[in-house]
Amino acid sequence: MRDGGWVMEPAAHTYVLFQPKPRWSNPVTLKMKGWGCLALLLGALLGTAWARRSQDLHCGACRALVDELEWEIAQVDPKKTIQMGSFRINPDGSQSVVEVPYARSEAHLTELLEEVCDRMKEYGEQIDPSTHRKNYVRVVGRNGESNELDLQGIRIDSDISGTLKFACESIVEEYEDELIEFFSREADNVKDKLCSKRTDLCDHALHISHDEL
């Protein structure tokens, strides 16, 4: 104290270093990151499962569609014909009309494609025990009676038949030209060539290289 007053001496400076805690050590941050990773993992798994189910469904619908078309074509009397060509009269009085077999004609195939997907209600869903992939089998005979195969492990309900029918209709709408092209002539192994090579609907299930078809 000087002259009756007080003199304030400056205090010594003290420096304290604070080291921030790592952000990852925060329990809340860790929890949020954990949930985020879990959500991404679940999203990926669900996406894979959905894609796999969609592939199995469309592959099964394509193969069932081919089976139904081949059976329907085989039921047509080979002697049955249809007139094709122009019905205009030529200068010499003749018509440029030819008769072709009705089976496999464009008119016949177009008619079949309009109603073939209704047959999907006669199919059930089966899971392959070795691959765990879904395939679709006929559970009703052509005569309308129950099929003779063992139906154990085959799921049959309206949801399955409705979904399969919708997939069939989508295939017919998108690949009508290809279907008519393949079935307008007799060909071997149409099921694999059409459903795998041309459309890729079954490549994942058949494991057949394009070059092998």
Side-chain angles (χ1 to χ4, degrees):
M1 180 176 64
R2 294 179 183 177
D3 299 330
W6 293 92
V7 176
M8 302 296 296
E9 295 293 336
H13 293 286
T14 303
Y15 297 93
V16 180
L17 297 178
F18 294 93
Q19 183 176 4
K21 294 183 179 180
R23 296 174 63 184
W24 53 265
S25 63
N26 190 321
V28 176
T29 303
L30 281 174
K31 186 175 182 180
M32 292 178 64
K33 286 191 174 183
W35 280 112
C37 293
L38 181 60
L40 290 174
L41 178 61
L42 289 176
L45 291 175
L46 289 174
T48 301
W50 182 88
R52 177 171 173 172
R53 185 177 186 278
S54 178
Q55 289 175 343
D56 290 350
L57 174 65
H58 285 82
C59 177
C62 183
R63 295 174 73 82
L65 169 63
V66 171
D67 281 340
E68 295 302 319
L69 289 175
E70 288 182 333
W71 187 85
E72 291 287 352
I73 290 172
Q75 305 313 301
V76 178
D77 184 350
K79 296 180 181 179
K80 184 177 181 179
T81 60
I82 183 175
Q83 291 184 333
M84 300 290 292
S86 173
F87 288 88
R88 291 183 299 177
I89 304 297
N90 295 325
D92 60 357
S94 62
Q95 289 180 310
S96 301
V97 177
V98 295
E99 288 190 349
V100 298
Y102 178 69
R104 300 185 182 277
S105 66
E106 184 173 350
H108 180 221
L109 294 175
T110 301
E111 180 182 339
L112 290 180
L113 292 175
E114 291 177 355
E115 55 188 30
V116 67
C117 292
D118 290 336
R119 299 293 182 88
M120 298 301 107
K121 65 183 179 182
E122 300 170 352
Y123 281 76
E125 183 182 86
Q126 184 181 50
I127 297 180
D128 189 311
S130 60
T131 64
H132 303 290
R133 304 302 296 249
K134 294 179 179 178
N135 56 72
Y136 298 86
V137 296
R138 199 172 228 290
V139 296
V140 178
R142 303 291 184 183
N143 54 6
E145 298 178 357
S146 296
N147 213 336
E148 295 181 357
L149 61 82
D150 184 6
L151 299 182
Q152 185 176 2
I154 298 178
R155 183 182 166 194
I156 306 171
D157 60 45
S158 58
D159 288 340
I160 290 176
S161 59
T163 305
L164 192 63
K165 179 182 178 182
F166 181 78
C168 175
E169 292 171 341
S170 300
I171 293 172
V172 170
E173 181 178 358
E174 183 173 357
Y175 299 106
E176 181 177 1
D177 292 340
E178 287 82 354
L179 288 164
I180 292 178
E181 174 190 342
F182 269 89
F183 285 98
S184 63
R185 62 184 189 278
E186 294 188 21
D188 296 329
N189 204 20
V190 174
K191 191 181 295 184
D192 290 343
K193 289 180 178 179
L194 177 63
C195 297
S196 180
K197 181 177 181 180
R198 179 61 65 88
T199 65
D200 284 336
L201 291 170
C202 287
D203 249 12
H204 69 284
L206 297 179
H207 303 292
I208 294 178
S209 169
H210 289 295
D211 295 334
E212 295 175 8
L213 295 175

